[in-house]
Amino acid sequence: MIVLSCKDIHKAYGIDTILEKITFNINEGEKVGLIGSNGAGKSTLFKILMSDLEYDSGELFIDKSKKVGYLSQHLSLESSNSIQEELLSVFSDLRNIENKISELELKMDEPYDDAKEEYHSKVIKEYTSLSEVYTNRGGYTYQGEINRVLTGLGFTQADFDKTINILSGGQKTRVALCKLLLTKPEILLLDEPTNHLDLDAVEWLEEYLKNYKGTIIIISHDRFFLDAITEKTLELISGRMDTYNGSYTSFIDLKKKNFEVQMKAFNLQQSEFKRQEEIIERYRSFNREKSVKAAESRQKALDKVQRVIAPDKEQKATKIKFQTQITSGTDVLHAENLSKSYGQKLLFNDLFIDMKREDKSALIGENGRGKTTLFRILMDNTDADSGFKTLGKNVIIGYYDQEQSNLNEEKTIIDEVWDDFPEMSTTQVRNALAAFLFMGDDVFKVISNLSGGEKCRINLLKLMLSKANFLLLDEPTNHLDIMSREALEDSLLSYDGTILVISHDRYFLNKVINKIYELKIEGLKEYLGNYSYYVEKKKNPLRFQEEEENEGKSKTQIQLEKKKKRDEEKSEKEVALKLKNIEKDIADLEALLSNFQKDLCLEAIYSSPDKSLEINKQITEVQNKLDDLYEEWEEML
């Protein structure tokens, strides 16, 4: 059943057409990826679907029985509530029922009076009815659902009581995403939902959306994320919409085949048109009545032929090419015993890292663990609390800042680049900017008026012109569209220097990276492979372990490490067993609670104040036990 459709939707701003004859249908339960280059009109389309923006012409249908939820890319949630309070507001109806049930429980505790039999009977019936509604709507599970979503999206128990107004922009967006998921709209519109999420949170969201029962449309440049969730792809290109049945990877193959088929049909028709026009011209050249009529007849027939439209060509990609000015020594970076704290918060301790020339490594870890801080330590912009680090011979660092804080907001684009590279000629600067899609008068735009993607391209250009041989890249694919991401990946693959990158773009990590450092409070853990290898090693820690870890070690070292590992595994098994037992106890108690709720609906129970009171006491006892078990379960996760 179709729940959302557009037919010939048109939107323009003055002479600039953003959307042109946009037509597509989405069925109930479909999970759809909406892709296109930056500025193609994806967010504009979402605003039209949400009635936040009027369209110029066309038809829009959204099933009125379906609730629509929207996460904007630039959402700014403002509230004086704590995170917990804000999410509890989603369940205000259940909390009202809770209050009514509590009031009824007080009335039920009143001494039974035969003279008020009708009153007691009415209280019990109302209590039974509300309890059933409360149970069916998830009254006994919504608090656990709030905790599950908050934890999944990267919040700790200590964050729950923080006031929303003091949070960072990224944290506010995550709270808004939590709130949206808890409302469970039947149609979910998500604009770059993985922004501001670390890898663990992205993977959690991925699993959550895979199992989501509603309809989902996702704008995302995260190709790995799209592949995992979507089953249909809509591409906005040149103001028009193309539909492909399949995820992102399938879309790439289908698009290539469709382009070849359409181009072949277009070329064949153009050849036939040319042949017919030559015949018409030859007939006309005879200048006889019969031949002129024949020419006119052929021309009319030709004019009636439906023209095959040439397939849209891809927009030009940024021409990125990283090169080194000089070759560094074999040893690029060595650091030992690095630690860093801010106040009482320890970011990391006893950190060791050793990088060689041409290593392509990634630094991953939870948000707030200190990945960017480590970069600042390596660049001498921040001091470590302990330990030391040394750079190798002829090492020149080039840094990409995800916050774009090194750009002067008051300068024009051309001045921003030229001031950093004054030895370049006007022609060289203009050519370099053109390669990064800044052409004509665009180069005189002021930095403060640029989009995140445009600022990103300027920083990448400056990094490319620096010809550094050791690149520290902090989330370089953020704000880049898919085409620009692929151009960046290809450039880094052919780069002859050394790379250390912070990224949660798993597609990028799979394609470019050959070593992953996971940053934890106790330091770095090294994985000798790309992201998929890292995931496999996390699931199967013993795979290839001996070959990797025993290289260059003495037998005594190997034996001691094996013993330590056995002790750790034993401890982990004990924790896992305890967790399993707690989960079993929770399931048993929830089943018991459900049975008690059913008992309350029996006439033999609700008509007897004593029996009803006894059942309610048992419900309270079971609920208290469940609360304790849930708290213990959350602490162990």
Side-chain angles (χ1 to χ4, degrees), residues 531-582:
Y531 178 76
S532 292
Y533 175 88
Y534 158 77
V535 171
E536 182 63 27
K537 286 288 290 182
K538 294 278 281 187
K539 289 179 180 176
N540 304 290
L542 301 180
R543 191 173 183 187
F544 309 123
Q545 191 165 353
E546 288 192 9
E547 293 88 338
E548 293 173 359
E549 295 185 357
N550 294 341
E551 187 176 350
K553 294 180 180 178
S554 67
K555 288 184 179 179
T556 304
Q557 277 180 300
I558 293 170
Q559 288 172 351
L560 287 172
E561 289 180 3
K562 281 184 177 179
K563 183 180 182 304
K564 182 181 177 183
K565 197 168 294 177
R566 285 196 298 270
D567 292 341
E568 289 174 351
E569 288 170 2
K570 183 181 177 182
S571 177
E572 287 174 1
K573 285 180 181 177
E574 289 173 353
V575 171
L577 180 60
K578 187 175 180 182
L579 196 61
K580 186 177 180 181
N581 289 334
I582 290 174

CSV table of all heavy atoms in Angstrom, one decimal, residues 531-582:
chain,number,residue,atom,x,y,z
A,531,TYR,N,38.3,-1.9,8.6
A,531,TYR,CA,37.2,-1.9,9.5
A,531,TYR,C,36.5,-3.3,9.6
A,531,TYR,O,36.2,-3.7,10.8
A,531,TYR,CB,36.1,-0.8,9.1
A,531,TYR,CG,34.9,-0.8,10.1
A,531,TYR,CD1,35.1,-0.3,11.4
A,531,TYR,CD2,33.7,-1.4,9.7
A,531,TYR,CE1,34.0,-0.3,12.2
A,531,TYR,CE2,32.7,-1.5,10.6
A,531,TYR,CZ,32.8,-0.9,11.9
A,531,TYR,OH,31.8,-0.9,12.8
A,532,SER,N,36.3,-3.9,8.5
A,532,SER,CA,35.6,-5.3,8.6
A,532,SER,C,36.5,-6.3,9.3
A,532,SER,O,36.0,-7.1,10.1
A,532,SER,CB,35.4,-5.8,7.1
A,532,SER,OG,34.4,-5.0,6.5
A,533,TYR,N,37.8,-6.1,9.2
A,533,TYR,CA,38.7,-7.0,9.9
A,533,TYR,C,38.6,-6.7,11.4
A,533,TYR,O,38.5,-7.6,12.2
A,533,TYR,CB,40.1,-6.7,9.4
A,533,TYR,CG,41.2,-7.5,10.2
A,533,TYR,CD1,41.6,-8.8,9.9
A,533,TYR,CD2,41.8,-6.9,11.3
A,533,TYR,CE1,42.5,-9.5,10.6
A,533,TYR,CE2,42.8,-7.6,12.0
A,533,TYR,CZ,43.1,-8.8,11.7
A,533,TYR,OH,44.1,-9.5,12.4
A,534,TYR,N,38.5,-5.4,11.7
A,534,TYR,CA,38.4,-5.0,13.1
A,534,TYR,C,37.1,-5.6,13.8
A,534,TYR,O,37.1,-6.1,14.9
A,534,TYR,CB,38.4,-3.5,13.2
A,534,TYR,CG,37.7,-2.9,14.4
A,534,TYR,CD1,38.4,-2.8,15.6
A,534,TYR,CD2,36.5,-2.3,14.4
A,534,TYR,CE1,37.8,-2.3,16.8
A,534,TYR,CE2,35.9,-1.8,15.5
A,534,TYR,CZ,36.6,-1.7,16.7
A,534,TYR,OH,36.0,-1.2,17.8
A,535,VAL,N,36.0,-5.5,13.0
A,535,VAL,CA,34.7,-6.0,13.5
A,535,VAL,C,34.8,-7.5,13.7
A,535,VAL,O,34.4,-8.1,14.8
A,535,VAL,CB,33.6,-5.7,12.5
A,535,VAL,CG1,32.3,-6.5,12.9
A,535,VAL,CG2,33.3,-4.2,12.5
A,536,GLU,N,35.4,-8.2,12.8
A,536,GLU,CA,35.6,-9.7,12.9
A,536,GLU,C,36.5,-10.1,14.1
A,536,GLU,O,36.2,-11.0,14.8
A,536,GLU,CB,36.2,-10.2,11.6
A,536,GLU,CG,36.4,-11.7,11.6
A,536,GLU,CD,35.1,-12.5,11.6
A,536,GLU,OE1,34.1,-12.0,11.2
A,536,GLU,OE2,35.1,-13.7,12.1
A,537,LYS,N,37.5,-9.3,14.3
A,537,LYS,CA,38.4,-9.6,15.5
A,537,LYS,C,37.7,-9.3,16.8
A,537,LYS,O,38.0,-10.0,17.8
A,537,LYS,CB,39.7,-8.7,15.4
A,537,LYS,CG,40.7,-9.1,14.3
A,537,LYS,CD,41.4,-10.4,14.7
A,537,LYS,CE,42.3,-10.2,15.8
A,537,LYS,NZ,43.1,-11.4,16.2
A,538,LYS,N,36.8,-8.3,16.8
A,538,LYS,CA,36.1,-8.0,18.0
A,538,LYS,C,35.1,-9.2,18.4
A,538,LYS,O,34.9,-9.5,19.5
A,538,LYS,CB,35.3,-6.7,17.9
A,538,LYS,CG,36.1,-5.5,17.8
A,538,LYS,CD,36.6,-5.0,19.1
A,538,LYS,CE,35.5,-4.2,19.8
A,538,LYS,NZ,36.1,-3.6,21.1
A,539,LYS,N,34.5,-9.7,17.3
A,539,LYS,CA,33.6,-10.8,17.5
A,539,LYS,C,34.3,-12.1,17.8
A,539,LYS,O,33.9,-13.0,18.6
A,539,LYS,CB,32.8,-11.1,16.2
A,539,LYS,CG,31.7,-10.0,16.0
A,539,LYS,CD,31.0,-10.3,14.7
A,539,LYS,CE,29.9,-9.2,14.4
A,539,LYS,NZ,29.2,-9.4,13.1
A,540,ASN,N,35.5,-12.3,17.2
A,540,ASN,CA,36.3,-13.6,17.4
A,540,ASN,C,37.7,-13.2,17.8
A,540,ASN,O,38.6,-13.2,17.0
A,540,ASN,CB,36.3,-14.4,16.1
A,540,ASN,CG,35.0,-14.8,15.6
A,540,ASN,OD1,34.3,-15.5,16.2
A,540,ASN,ND2,34.5,-14.1,14.5
A,541,PRO,N,37.9,-12.8,19.1
A,541,PRO,CA,39.2,-12.2,19.5
A,541,PRO,C,40.4,-13.2,19.3
A,541,PRO,O,41.5,-12.7,19.1
A,541,PRO,CB,39.0,-12.0,21.0
A,541,PRO,CG,37.5,-11.9,21.2
A,541,PRO,CD,36.9,-12.8,20.1
A,542,LEU,N,40.2,-14.5,19.3
A,542,LEU,CA,41.3,-15.4,19.2
A,542,LEU,C,41.7,-15.7,17.7
A,542,LEU,O,42.7,-16.3,17.5
A,542,LEU,CB,40.9,-16.8,19.8
A,542,LEU,CG,40.5,-16.7,21.3
A,542,LEU,CD1,40.1,-18.1,21.8
A,542,LEU,CD2,41.6,-16.1,22.1
A,543,ARG,N,41.0,-15.1,16.7
A,543,ARG,CA,41.3,-15.4,15.3
A,543,ARG,C,42.6,-14.7,15.0
A,543,ARG,O,42.8,-13.5,15.1
A,543,ARG,CB,40.2,-14.9,14.4
A,543,ARG,CG,40.4,-15.4,13.0
A,543,ARG,CD,39.2,-15.0,12.2
A,543,ARG,NE,39.3,-15.5,10.8
A,543,ARG,CZ,38.5,-15.3,9.8
A,543,ARG,NH1,37.4,-14.5,10.0
A,543,ARG,NH2,38.7,-15.7,8.6
A,544,PHE,N,43.6,-15.5,14.5
A,544,PHE,CA,44.9,-15.0,14.1
A,544,PHE,C,45.7,-14.3,15.2
A,544,PHE,O,46.7,-13.7,15.0
A,544,PHE,CB,44.8,-14.0,12.9
A,544,PHE,CG,44.0,-14.4,11.8
A,544,PHE,CD1,42.9,-13.7,11.3
A,544,PHE,CD2,44.3,-15.6,11.1
A,544,PHE,CE1,42.2,-14.1,10.3
A,544,PHE,CE2,43.5,-16.0,10.1
A,544,PHE,CZ,42.5,-15.3,9.6
A,545,GLN,N,45.2,-14.5,16.4
A,545,GLN,CA,45.8,-13.8,17.6
A,545,GLN,C,47.3,-14.2,17.8
A,545,GLN,O,48.1,-13.3,18.0
A,545,GLN,CB,45.0,-14.0,18.8
A,545,GLN,CG,45.3,-13.1,20.0
A,545,GLN,CD,44.3,-13.1,21.0
A,545,GLN,OE1,43.2,-13.7,20.9
A,545,GLN,NE2,44.6,-12.5,22.1
A,546,GLU,N,47.5,-15.5,17.8
A,546,GLU,CA,48.9,-15.9,18.2
A,546,GLU,C,49.9,-15.4,17.1
A,546,GLU,O,51.0,-14.9,17.5
A,546,GLU,CB,49.0,-17.4,18.3
A,546,GLU,CG,48.3,-18.0,19.5
A,546,GLU,CD,48.6,-19.4,19.7
A,546,GLU,OE1,49.5,-20.0,19.0
A,546,GLU,OE2,47.9,-20.0,20.6
A,547,GLU,N,49.5,-15.5,15.9
A,547,GLU,CA,50.5,-15.1,14.8
A,547,GLU,C,50.8,-13.6,14.9
A,547,GLU,O,51.9,-13.1,14.7
A,547,GLU,CB,49.9,-15.4,13.4
A,547,GLU,CG,49.7,-16.8,13.1
A,547,GLU,CD,48.4,-17.4,13.6
A,547,GLU,OE1,47.8,-16.8,14.5
A,547,GLU,OE2,48.0,-18.4,13.0
A,548,GLU,N,49.7,-12.8,15.2
A,548,GLU,CA,49.9,-11.3,15.3
A,548,GLU,C,50.7,-10.9,16.6
A,548,GLU,O,51.5,-10.0,16.5
A,548,GLU,CB,48.6,-10.6,15.3
A,548,GLU,CG,47.8,-10.8,13.9
A,548,GLU,CD,46.4,-10.3,14.0
A,548,GLU,OE1,46.0,-9.8,15.0
A,548,GLU,OE2,45.7,-10.4,13.0
A,549,GLU,N,50.3,-11.5,17.7
A,549,GLU,CA,50.8,-10.9,19.0
A,549,GLU,C,52.1,-11.5,19.4
A,549,GLU,O,52.9,-10.9,20.2
A,549,GLU,CB,49.8,-11.2,20.1
A,549,GLU,CG,48.5,-10.4,19.8
A,549,GLU,CD,47.5,-10.6,21.0
A,549,GLU,OE1,47.9,-11.3,21.9
A,549,GLU,OE2,46.5,-9.9,21.0
A,550,ASN,N,52.5,-12.7,18.9
A,550,ASN,CA,53.7,-13.4,19.3
A,550,ASN,C,55.0,-13.0,18.5
A,550,ASN,O,56.1,-13.4,18.9
A,550,ASN,CB,53.5,-14.9,19.3
A,550,ASN,CG,52.5,-15.3,20.3
A,550,ASN,OD1,52.2,-14.6,21.3
A,550,ASN,ND2,51.9,-16.5,20.2
A,551,GLU,N,54.7,-12.3,17.5
A,551,GLU,CA,55.9,-11.9,16.6
A,551,GLU,C,56.9,-11.1,17.4
A,551,GLU,O,56.6,-10.1,18.0
A,551,GLU,CB,55.4,-11.1,15.4
A,551,GLU,CG,56.5,-10.9,14.4
A,551,GLU,CD,55.9,-10.1,13.2
A,551,GLU,OE1,54.7,-10.0,13.0
A,551,GLU,OE2,56.7,-9.7,12.4
A,552,GLY,N,58.1,-11.6,17.5
A,552,GLY,CA,59.2,-10.9,18.1
A,552,GLY,C,59.3,-11.0,19.6
A,552,GLY,O,60.0,-10.3,20.3
A,553,LYS,N,58.4,-11.9,20.2
A,553,LYS,CA,58.4,-12.0,21.7
A,553,LYS,C,59.1,-13.3,22.2
A,553,LYS,O,59.1,-14.3,21.4
A,553,LYS,CB,56.9,-12.0,22.2
A,553,LYS,CG,56.2,-10.7,21.9
A,553,LYS,CD,54.8,-10.8,22.4
A,553,LYS,CE,54.0,-9.5,22.2
A,553,LYS,NZ,52.6,-9.5,22.6
A,554,SER,N,59.6,-13.2,23.4
A,554,SER,CA,60.2,-14.4,24.0
A,554,SER,C,59.2,-15.4,24.5
A,554,SER,O,58.0,-15.0,24.6
A,554,SER,CB,61.1,-14.0,25.2
A,554,SER,OG,60.3,-13.5,26.2
A,555,LYS,N,59.6,-16.6,24.7
A,555,LYS,CA,58.7,-17.6,25.2
A,555,LYS,C,58.0,-17.3,26.5
A,555,LYS,O,56.9,-17.5,26.8
A,555,LYS,CB,59.4,-19.0,25.3
A,555,LYS,CG,59.7,-19.6,23.9
A,555,LYS,CD,60.3,-21.0,24.1
A,555,LYS,CE,60.7,-21.6,22.7
A,555,LYS,NZ,61.3,-23.0,22.9
A,556,THR,N,58.9,-16.7,27.4
A,556,THR,CA,58.4,-16.3,28.7
A,556,THR,C,57.3,-15.3,28.6
A,556,THR,O,56.2,-15.3,29.3
A,556,THR,CB,59.5,-15.7,29.6
A,556,THR,OG1,60.6,-16.7,29.7
A,556,THR,CG2,59.0,-15.4,31.0
A,557,GLN,N,57.5,-14.3,27.7
A,557,GLN,CA,56.5,-13.2,27.5
A,557,GLN,C,55.2,-13.8,27.0
A,557,GLN,O,54.1,-13.5,27.4
A,557,GLN,CB,57.0,-12.2,26.5
A,557,GLN,CG,57.9,-11.1,27.0
A,557,GLN,CD,58.3,-10.2,25.9
A,557,GLN,OE1,59.0,-10.6,25.0
A,557,GLN,NE2,58.0,-8.9,26.1
A,558,ILE,N,55.3,-14.8,26.0
A,558,ILE,CA,54.2,-15.4,25.4
A,558,ILE,C,53.4,-16.2,26.5
A,558,ILE,O,52.1,-16.1,26.5
A,558,ILE,CB,54.6,-16.3,24.3
A,558,ILE,CG1,55.2,-15.5,23.1
A,558,ILE,CG2,53.4,-17.2,23.8
A,558,ILE,CD1,55.8,-16.4,22.0
A,559,GLN,N,54.1,-16.9,27.4
A,559,GLN,CA,53.4,-17.7,28.4
A,559,GLN,C,52.7,-16.8,29.4
A,559,GLN,O,51.5,-17.1,29.8
A,559,GLN,CB,54.4,-18.6,29.1
A,559,GLN,CG,54.9,-19.8,28.2
A,559,GLN,CD,56.0,-20.5,28.9
A,559,GLN,OE1,56.6,-20.1,29.9
A,559,GLN,NE2,56.4,-21.7,28.3
A,560,LEU,N,53.3,-15.7,29.8
A,560,LEU,CA,52.7,-14.8,30.8
A,560,LEU,C,51.5,-14.1,30.2
A,560,LEU,O,50.4,-14.0,30.8
A,560,LEU,CB,53.7,-13.7,31.2
A,560,LEU,CG,54.8,-14.2,32.1
A,560,LEU,CD1,55.9,-13.0,32.3
A,560,LEU,CD2,54.3,-14.5,33.5
A,561,GLU,N,51.6,-13.8,28.9
A,561,GLU,CA,50.4,-13.1,28.2
A,561,GLU,C,49.3,-14.1,28.0
A,561,GLU,O,48.1,-13.7,28.1
A,561,GLU,CB,50.9,-12.5,26.9
A,561,GLU,CG,51.7,-11.3,27.1
A,561,GLU,CD,52.2,-10.7,25.8
A,561,GLU,OE1,51.7,-11.2,24.7
A,561,GLU,OE2,52.9,-9.7,25.8
A,562,LYS,N,49.6,-15.4,27.8
A,562,LYS,CA,48.6,-16.4,27.6
A,562,LYS,C,47.8,-16.6,28.9
A,562,LYS,O,46.6,-16.7,29.0
A,562,LYS,CB,49.2,-17.7,27.2
A,562,LYS,CG,49.5,-17.8,25.7
A,562,LYS,CD,50.0,-19.1,25.3
A,562,LYS,CE,50.2,-19.2,23.8
A,562,LYS,NZ,50.7,-20.5,23.4
A,563,LYS,N,48.6,-16.6,30.1
A,563,LYS,CA,47.9,-16.8,31.4
A,563,LYS,C,47.0,-15.6,31.7
A,563,LYS,O,45.9,-15.7,32.2
A,563,LYS,CB,49.0,-16.9,32.5
A,563,LYS,CG,48.4,-17.1,33.9
A,563,LYS,CD,49.5,-17.3,34.9
A,563,LYS,CE,48.9,-17.6,36.3
A,563,LYS,NZ,47.9,-16.6,36.7
A,564,LYS,N,47.5,-14.4,31.4
A,564,LYS,CA,46.7,-13.2,31.6
A,564,LYS,C,45.4,-13.2,30.8
A,564,LYS,O,44.3,-12.8,31.3
A,564,LYS,CB,47.5,-11.9,31.3
A,564,LYS,CG,46.8,-10.6,31.5
A,564,LYS,CD,47.7,-9.4,31.1
A,564,LYS,CE,46.9,-8.1,31.3
A,564,LYS,NZ,47.7,-6.9,30.9
A,565,LYS,N,45.6,-13.7,29.6
A,565,LYS,CA,44.4,-13.7,28.7
A,565,LYS,C,43.4,-14.8,29.1
A,565,LYS,O,42.2,-14.5,29.1
A,565,LYS,CB,44.9,-14.1,27.3
A,565,LYS,CG,43.9,-13.8,26.2
A,565,LYS,CD,44.5,-13.9,24.8
A,565,LYS,CE,45.6,-12.9,24.7
A,565,LYS,NZ,46.3,-12.9,23.4
A,566,ARG,N,43.9,-15.9,29.7
A,566,ARG,CA,43.0,-16.9,30.2
A,566,ARG,C,42.2,-16.4,31.4
A,566,ARG,O,41.0,-16.6,31.5
A,566,ARG,CB,43.8,-18.2,30.6
A,566,ARG,CG,44.2,-19.1,29.4
A,566,ARG,CD,44.6,-20.4,29.9
A,566,ARG,NE,45.8,-20.4,30.8
A,566,ARG,CZ,47.0,-20.4,30.4
A,566,ARG,NH1,47.3,-20.5,29.1
A,566,ARG,NH2,48.0,-20.4,31.3
A,567,ASP,N,42.9,-15.7,32.2
A,567,ASP,CA,42.2,-15.1,33.4
A,567,ASP,C,41.1,-14.1,33.0
A,567,ASP,O,40.0,-14.0,33.5
A,567,ASP,CB,43.2,-14.4,34.3
A,567,ASP,CG,44.2,-15.3,35.0
A,567,ASP,OD1,43.8,-16.6,35.1
A,567,ASP,OD2,45.3,-14.9,35.4
A,568,GLU,N,41.5,-13.3,31.9
A,568,GLU,CA,40.5,-12.3,31.5
A,568,GLU,C,39.3,-12.9,30.8
A,568,GLU,O,38.2,-12.5,31.0
A,568,GLU,CB,41.2,-11.4,30.4
A,568,GLU,CG,42.2,-10.4,31.0
A,568,GLU,CD,42.9,-9.6,29.9
A,568,GLU,OE1,42.8,-9.9,28.7
A,568,GLU,OE2,43.7,-8.7,30.3
A,569,GLU,N,39.6,-14.0,30.1
A,569,GLU,CA,38.5,-14.7,29.4
A,569,GLU,C,37.6,-15.4,30.5
A,569,GLU,O,36.3,-15.4,30.3
A,569,GLU,CB,39.0,-15.8,28.5
A,569,GLU,CG,39.6,-15.2,27.2
A,569,GLU,CD,40.4,-16.2,26.4
A,569,GLU,OE1,40.4,-17.4,26.8
A,569,GLU,OE2,41.0,-15.9,25.4
A,570,LYS,N,38.2,-15.9,31.5
A,570,LYS,CA,37.4,-16.5,32.6
A,570,LYS,C,36.5,-15.5,33.3
A,570,LYS,O,35.3,-15.8,33.5
A,570,LYS,CB,38.3,-17.2,33.6
A,570,LYS,CG,37.6,-17.9,34.8
A,570,LYS,CD,38.6,-18.5,35.8
A,570,LYS,CE,37.9,-19.2,36.9
A,570,LYS,NZ,38.8,-19.7,37.9
A,571,SER,N,37.1,-14.3,33.5
A,571,SER,CA,36.3,-13.3,34.1
A,571,SER,C,35.1,-12.8,33.2
A,571,SER,O,34.0,-12.6,33.7
A,571,SER,CB,37.2,-12.1,34.4
A,571,SER,OG,36.5,-11.0,35.0
A,572,GLU,N,35.4,-12.7,31.9
A,572,GLU,CA,34.4,-12.3,31.0
A,572,GLU,C,33.3,-13.4,30.9
A,572,GLU,O,32.1,-13.0,30.8
A,572,GLU,CB,35.0,-12.1,29.6
A,572,GLU,CG,35.8,-10.9,29.5
A,572,GLU,CD,36.6,-10.8,28.1
A,572,GLU,OE1,36.4,-11.7,27.3
A,572,GLU,OE2,37.3,-9.8,27.9
A,573,LYS,N,33.6,-14.7,31.0
A,573,LYS,CA,32.6,-15.7,30.9
A,573,LYS,C,31.7,-15.7,32.2
A,573,LYS,O,30.5,-15.9,32.1
A,573,LYS,CB,33.3,-17.1,30.8
A,573,LYS,CG,33.9,-17.4,29.5
A,573,LYS,CD,34.5,-18.7,29.4
A,573,LYS,CE,35.1,-19.0,28.0
A,573,LYS,NZ,35.9,-20.3,28.0
A,574,GLU,N,32.3,-15.4,33.3
A,574,GLU,CA,31.6,-15.3,34.6
A,574,GLU,C,30.6,-14.1,34.5
A,574,GLU,O,29.4,-14.3,34.9
A,574,GLU,CB,32.5,-15.1,35.7
A,574,GLU,CG,33.3,-16.3,36.1
A,574,GLU,CD,34.3,-16.1,37.2
A,574,GLU,OE1,34.5,-14.9,37.5
A,574,GLU,OE2,35.0,-17.0,37.6
A,575,VAL,N,31.0,-13.0,33.9
A,575,VAL,CA,30.1,-11.8,33.7
A,575,VAL,C,29.0,-12.2,32.8
A,575,VAL,O,27.8,-11.9,33.0
A,575,VAL,CB,30.9,-10.6,33.3
A,575,VAL,CG1,29.9,-9.5,32.9
A,575,VAL,CG2,31.9,-10.1,34.3
A,576,ALA,N,29.3,-12.8,31.7
A,576,ALA,CA,28.3,-13.2,30.7
A,576,ALA,C,27.3,-14.2,31.2
A,576,ALA,O,26.1,-14.0,31.0
A,576,ALA,CB,29.0,-13.8,29.4
A,577,LEU,N,27.8,-15.1,32.1
A,577,LEU,CA,26.8,-16.1,32.7
A,577,LEU,C,25.9,-15.4,33.6
A,577,LEU,O,24.7,-15.6,33.7
A,577,LEU,CB,27.6,-17.2,33.4
A,577,LEU,CG,26.8,-18.2,34.1
A,577,LEU,CD1,25.9,-19.0,33.1
A,577,LEU,CD2,27.7,-19.2,34.9
A,578,LYS,N,26.5,-14.4,34.4
A,578,LYS,CA,25.6,-13.7,35.4
A,578,LYS,C,24.6,-12.8,34.6
A,578,LYS,O,23.4,-12.8,35.0
A,578,LYS,CB,26.5,-12.8,36.3
A,578,LYS,CG,25.8,-12.1,37.4
A,578,LYS,CD,26.7,-11.3,38.3
A,578,LYS,CE,25.9,-10.6,39.4
A,578,LYS,NZ,26.8,-9.8,40.3
A,579,LEU,N,25.0,-12.2,33.5
A,579,LEU,CA,24.1,-11.4,32.7
A,579,LEU,C,23.0,-12.3,32.2
A,579,LEU,O,21.8,-11.9,32.1
A,579,LEU,CB,24.9,-10.8,31.6
A,579,LEU,CG,24.3,-9.6,30.9
A,579,LEU,CD1,24.0,-8.4,31.8
A,579,LEU,CD2,25.2,-9.1,29.7
A,580,LYS,N,23.4,-13.5,31.7
A,580,LYS,CA,22.4,-14.4,31.1
A,580,LYS,C,21.3,-14.8,32.2
A,580,LYS,O,20.1,-14.8,31.9
A,580,LYS,CB,23.1,-15.6,30.6
A,580,LYS,CG,22.1,-16.6,29.9
A,580,LYS,CD,22.9,-17.7,29.3
A,580,LYS,CE,22.0,-18.7,28.5
A,580,LYS,NZ,22.8,-19.9,28.0
A,581,ASN,N,21.8,-15.1,33.4
A,581,ASN,CA,20.9,-15.4,34.5
A,581,ASN,C,20.0,-14.3,34.9
A,581,ASN,O,18.8,-14.5,35.1
A,581,ASN,CB,21.7,-15.9,35.7
A,581,ASN,CG,22.4,-17.2,35.5
A,581,ASN,OD1,21.9,-18.0,34.7
A,581,ASN,ND2,23.5,-17.4,36.2
A,582,ILE,N,20.5,-13.1,34.9
A,582,ILE,CA,19.7,-11.9,35.2
A,582,ILE,C,18.6,-11.7,34.1
A,582,ILE,O,17.4,-11.5,34.4
A,582,ILE,CB,20.5,-10.6,35.3
A,582,ILE,CG1,21.4,-10.6,36.5
A,582,ILE,CG2,19.6,-9.4,35.3
A,582,ILE,CD1,22.4,-9.5,36.6
